[in-house]
Amino acid sequence: MRLATMIRLFALFSTFLLAMAAPAPRESWDWPVTPRPSIVRAFDPPAVPWGSGHRGVDLDVAVGSTVHAPADGTVIYAGMLVNRQVISILHRDGVRSTFEPVEPVVTKGQEVRQGDIVATVLEGHSPGALHWGAKLGPKHYVDPLSMLSVTMVLKPW
């Protein structure tokens, strides 16, 4: 094999390995309710998957408020889970958003676009009326606030 061919193969293989190792780019999410709500209870992940903690944020919104898809995705669950109505959306970057307690207005398998109405808030969660979660896998929760679009404003000195 000629040296030039070996270098091209190495470059191609290296590019492939870097692409496989690079983390998926994160989408910029929007708030799921408007106007922007107060946070009643913050994200507090458990030290171990089975430990106590708060695997999302509680938003102070009125019962009956509409819930919007924070980013484009596919509804992977919409219905009763144990004792409350839940909706879960799998987004293109692999992060899953969850909302409870809600009355879904979408169905499993439905594609949603950022800003689409997906549910209305039901009674049954305290503190705050809406629990908003985000997860990367079955036991890997992330702070949904970290997914939000951020507008940075630089001020002069």
Side-chain angles (χ1 to χ4, degrees):
M1 195 181 285
R2 294 178 26 191
L3 181 60
T5 303
M6 288 176 54
I7 291 172
R8 276 187 289 235
L9 284 172
F10 178 75
L12 182 63
F13 185 67
S14 296
T15 302
F16 172 76
L17 287 177
L18 285 173
M20 294 299 290
R26 294 282 177 244
E27 293 183 70
S28 292
W29 290 10
D30 284 338
W31 284 92
V33 292
T34 56
R36 182 178 167 175
S38 298
I39 309 299
V40 179
R41 186 170 175 201
F43 180 70
D44 180 22
V48 292
W50 58 87
S52 64
H54 192 237
R55 295 163 174 85
V57 295
D58 291 343
L59 305 178
D60 186 18
V61 298
V63 170
S65 298
T66 56
V67 179
H68 302 262
D72 296 351
T74 304
V75 177
I76 58 172
Y77 191 85
M80 188 64 76
L81 185 64
V82 184
N83 64 350
R84 65 181 61 189
Q85 296 265 39
V86 175
I87 185 170
S88 185
I89 303 169
L90 180 60
H91 302 284
R92 294 181 184 156
D93 59 2
V95 179
R96 180 183 310 181
S97 61
T98 61
F99 302 95
E100 62 177 85
V102 294
E103 179 69 40
V105 298
V106 292
T107 58
K108 181 178 177 181
Q110 185 173 338
E111 297 291 320
V112 294
R113 307 274 302 158
Q114 189 172 43
D116 286 353
I117 295 174
V118 296
T120 56
V121 178
L122 296 174
E123 289 185 20
H125 191 69
S126 179
L130 180 66
H131 177 84
W132 177 24
K135 42 195 306 197
L136 286 168
K139 296 179 183 173
H140 184 189
Y141 293 85
V142 294
D143 186 348
L145 300 180
S146 70
M147 303 297 294
L148 290 170
S149 303
V150 176
T151 303
M152 188 174 291
V153 178
L154 298 176
K155 296 188 178 198
W157 288 31

